Each structure stands twice: as C-alpha cells, then as structure tokens.
Amino acid sequence: MDAVEVRDLTRIYLTGKRRRSKEEVLALDSVGLGVETGEVHGLLGPNGAGKTTLVKILSTALLPTAGSASVMGHDVVDETEEVRKRIGIVFGGERGLYHRLTPRRILRYWAALYKLPDEIGITRSDELIERVGLSQWADRRVETFSRGMKQRLHLARGLIADPPVLFLDEPTTGMDPVSAHDFRDLVADLKAEGRTVLLTTHDMAEAEAVCDRITLIDQGTILGTKTPKTVAEWMGTLERVEAEDVPAELITRIRAVDGVTHIEADEGSVVVQTNHPQAVKDALKLLVDGGVTSLKTVRPSLEEVYLHVFGRDRGMSV
Amino acid sequence: MVGWRRQWDLVLNTPGYWTSILMNPLFAVVFLAIMSNAGRDDLLAFAVLAPPFMTMWAMSLLISGEAVVRDREFGVLEATLAAPTPYGSVTLGRIGLVTTISMIGFVESWLVALIFFDPIPIVHPLAFAAGVVASAFAMTGTALGMSALFVRSTQVRRFQNAMSYPFYVLGGVIVPIEFLPEWIQPLSKVIFLSWSTDLLRDSLAVGPVEGFWFRLAMVVFLGAAALAVGWWAVGKMEDRVRRTGEVAFT
Ligand SMILES: Nc1ncnc2c1ncn2[C@@H]1O[C@H](COP(=O)(O)OP(=O)(O)OP(=O)(O)O)[C@@H](O)[C@H]1O
Ligand SMILES: [Mg+2]
C-alpha cells in the first residue's frame, strides 16, 4: 500500500463575488499520484501549478471536486479523523502563527490540538525547538522573527504529533541558504525515521537534493514522475552562460560551439543558451581565454525546463 | 473543550479582553451611586448585578467574534481545521475560558459595594453560586451560537456593538423587565439573561427563591439550546471553508 494514493483528483474553484457570475478555475485536472511509504516525494511545479491545492486536499482542509485520495489507506473525505491523526502539515509563508506568542507557547498549543497529554506536549515542544535550531528564541514573541525563523517554527509545528506522513508545502521559502541546507539534513533525518514526506517546491535544486522521486506538475496536470538524476541532468543540460564586455569576434566563435543553441547579445553583454553540459564548458573556456572577466553560469528556471522538456510554453517567466 | 491552559496564552495576549474587567468597578460605582442617591434601595441588587452581567456578555461576545476572525487573519484557520480536534471544541474552549474569567466581575461589584457603599448581603449563597455557574454556562453556549453568526460577517465589530445594549435591556440587566412594553416581554423570556438576572436578584433578597429549580433549569436549557445551534453552525462553517476554499493559507 502506498502511503498516499491519489486517483483522478479534480478540484475546481469558483471565483468572483456574485453567485451567478462565478468563474471556474481548474486547479487540479484528474491528477493521479502514488507516494510510497518511507519515501521523500517531491511535487515540483511553478506558481499556480496546483501544489498547495493538492496538499490541502490531502490534509483534509479542502474537499476535492471529483476523484479520491487516501493517506495510509484512509480516505481524505470520508475518514478525516483517521487521516488527521496521521499527518503533519507545514504550509509555507509568513502566516499561520499567532504573532504575540512565543515558539514554546505556540507548539504547546498545537500539541493540545493534536490531543497530546500535557507532559508529552511540553517535552516534545522543547525537543522540536532544539531540533529546528530555535532554542535561543524559544521565549521570544514570533512577531520579531525573520521569515526563515518562522518557517522553522512551521516545521516544528508540523512535527508536533510525531506523524508518520508529512506534507511540506514550500517549506524553505524565505530561508537563507544556510537554513535551507540545514533543512535538507532535517528531511534526511525524517526519512531515516521512516516517515513519508510529500514536499512541494518550485526549486529544482531543492527537489533534486532531497527527494527520492519527483513528480512534475503544471497547470493542474501531472507531467510525469522522474528521478532526481533526470532532473539534475536537465539542470546541467539547460545551463546558460552570461557574460559582460564580450568582443564581437568572440561572440561569433561561441556561436559556432557545438551544443550552443542560442545567443542573445546586447552591446557586449551576452546570454549563451546550451543543450549540453560540454557546451557550457567550451563556451566558458573561450570566454576566459578571450580575457572576459565578468561571467557566470545560470541554472535554467523551471519554466525553461518545462518549455524544453515538455514543450509547454507558459508565455511568462516567474 | 480543548486546551484550556493553552488557550490562556492566546487570551492573555489580547488586550481587548481585559477592558471590561477594568470597567466593571467603574460601572458598579456609577450604578450604585445612582440608586443610592435616588433612594431606591429596592434596586440596589440591579446596580450591583448589572455590571458583572455586562462584563460577562461583552467579554464572551468579543471572544466569540474574535476567535474565528483572528484564526482567519493569522492564517491559522485551515491548519486548525485539519487538526484532530473539532473546531467547535477549540472555539468552545476559548469562549469558555474567557467567560470563566469574566466571572471576576461579580466579585468586583460586590467589593465595590462593600468598600464604597453598604455591603450587599447574599441571602441565599448556594442559589447565588448555582445561578452564576449556570449563567456562565449559558453565556458560553450563547457565545458559541453568536460566533456562528459572526463568522459570516465581515463587520464583526459593528455587529458586536449592536448586540450588547439591546440585549442588556431585553435581558433585564439594566432595568426590570416589567418596565418594558408588554409586547416585548415574551421576547425576554427566550434570552437566558432575563432568567439569570431574575434568579440572582432573588437570591440576594430576603425571602424564599420561588421556583428555583425551574428557573435554574431554564437558564441551563436556553444555554444548551444556543450551544447546540452554535456547534452545528461551526460545523457548517467548517464544511463551507472546505468546500469553497475561501480561506487561503498563502
Ligand atoms: N481559494 C481559491 N479560490 C480561487 N482560486 C484559487 C484558490 N486557491 C487557488 N486557486 C487557483 O488555483 C490554481 C492552483 O493554485 P495553487 O495555490 O494550488 O498553486 P501552487 O502550485 O501552490 O502555486 P504557488 O507556487 O504559487 O504556491 C491557481 O490558478 C490559483 O489561482
Ligand atoms: Mg502553493
């Protein structure tokens, strides 16, 4: 049995103020997904892909319009209580915390909502504060916290009931690189403890670093489930080189490099698109040998990967 | 009712809840002074009981409106709905806690009378205590019922203001119900306040408290009815949020 099973799940939102003139937004379109027990599964997609919608449905906070989903064998619509006992939820962002309370108080409050006996709630709150590195701020009001600190508190909150299944919705938004790195270790620990994790993100590098498998989603549709290796290859393949003060003659030579697909040049500043890691190396070498000092490589955005791999043109970059 | 101790943190950190507690002695002084100067010793019980009932009503109503609204503002509502504790008992716990705290008002009023005027003897202390506890229960139930109303309104505060003085009058808190127009008096009978205030005044007075058990039962019954409606309505609200996705996390 998969820890999470999603079958033909569809969700339509009705928007607009007036009842009659409501517009339909198709947020999930017959989505199917299986998350194996003990797996760290990534849900990778750009803004508006439907990631949060899916997580909300799985966590019983939102009803599906059609289709079904289950967590640890329990239906998310008919057996909400069974599901709620088994899951932890972490929603990203600034919101979701009582500003005037301290992390310790907030965690104890949630421990009560998850029906933990008081002593357990108290010890577990303290352990989790330690675990997410907030010990120093355990008794400070949350209103003074940075986004990353709030995010770590969100994580602790999601773990309060010691759940076998965790839903993490963009858990690293707002974290600095160091915290984000700690977060990766934390996810590895969660996996080692035998927990199942479903993590949404729009960051390919993050998905590649922490997930066992990655499901790609865009505009409510699943595009496929891939290994982190495949995603890493996409990132390498579609890497581009950006440089300043490049002589025209050098641009011509780079254009001729095998694997260079496109060059944008504007008064000596160039962007070199490639479709092969070797092409990046060759282009870089030409630039360095040609005396160009201002240059860098840039990983492709998720939108670019979707465009190249799936031919999906979203007509925008986020 | 969940997390009394934990809800305490939330309540403690909301300054608004404490205003009524602070105002209570002032009201008591004013009311008692008016009645004494007018020579209406028969109405001293009104003067001493009106402020604590107003305190109780105001605080409970405030929390019943704020509980859901604050959870929504802070973006906590959906995560709370997805927790194993039913949202009705989360709300009920918070309201119950505030109502319990608001019972301090009775002590304040009594002390004001003792210090600045003549002590008010509590002739039937057990009946009085039972009446106060039953009133607090009914208040909690009524506030839960009200929270269901507030949750649909975007102008909670205006609504709350409109909900106070008319009820003080209808509930016989400020003036005896007999003073009200006759056609309006039946309406008073469905408001638990009218039974509560009557009962408590009688328990301060010399002479037997007539029909004590029936009147106490009416207070409890009206409170339980409101609680049932409130519980049902909070469940409805939960369903609606899950159906429409109206409250956003992000
Ligand atoms: N409550 C709502 N009412 C109406 N439309 C909504 C609601 N919530 C989400 N949507 C729409 O549903 C679609 C999917 O949104 P969702 O939040 O699930 O995407 P996401 O993948 O989480 O995006 P992001 O990366 O921005 O968090 C979007 O088009 C969004 O505008
Ligand atoms: Mg989202």
Side-chain angles (χ1 to χ4, degrees), chain A residues 11 56 59-63 80 84 89 91 95-101 105 109-110 113-114 118 141, chain B residues 5-6 9-10 13 71-76 80-85 90 94 242-245 248-249:
Chain A
R11 171 70 210 199
K56 279 189 195 174
S59 60
T60 79
L62 187 70
L63 291 171
T80 49
R84 287 172 186 175
I89 330 160
F91 290 95
R95 289 154 54 74
L97 300 167
Y98 296 106
H99 287 183
R100 287 168 180 272
L101 298 194
R105 299 286 174 189
Y109 173 73
W110 285 96
L113 287 197
Y114 277 85
D118 225 30
R141 283 185 180 194
Chain B
R5 272 176 66 186
R6 302 305 162 214
D9 296 330
L10 280 177
N13 282 288
D71 280 357
R72 180 182 286 204
E73 274 171 8
F74 282 116
V76 185
T80 312
L81 294 184
T85 305
V90 178
R94 211 171 298 171
R242 292 177 67 210
R243 212 174 48 245
T244 62
F249 272 110

Side-chain angles (χ1 to χ4, degrees), chain A residues 13-15 25 27 45-53 170 202, chain B residues 244-246:
Chain A
Y13 289 105
L14 296 177
T15 59
V25 178
N47 290 131
K51 305 180 296 290
T52 301
T53 302
E170 311 239 6
H202 58 249
Chain B
T244 62
E246 236 171 47

Side-chain angles (χ1 to χ4, degrees), chain A residues 59-75:
Chain A
S59 60
T60 79
L62 187 70
L63 291 171
T65 308
S68 66
S70 65
V71 177
M72 304 297 275
H74 297 282
D75 189 86

Side-chain angles (χ1 to χ4, degrees), chain A residues 219-241:
Chain A
Q219 295 177 319
T221 313
I222 302 283
L223 305 178
T225 296
K226 305 286 176 191
T227 60
K229 194 161 161 266
T230 307
V231 173
E233 277 166 17
W234 290 341
M235 286 192 287
T237 305
L238 296 170
E239 208 167 24
R240 60 173 187 269
V241 179

Side-chain angles (χ1 to χ4, degrees), chain A residues 2-6 32-37 39 41 198 213 215 225:
Chain A
D2 281 351
V4 177
E5 283 178 9
V6 177
L33 177 71
V35 179
E36 287 167 18
T37 308
E39 175 185 32
H41 197 110
L198 178 64
R213 288 193 300 160
T215 293
T225 296

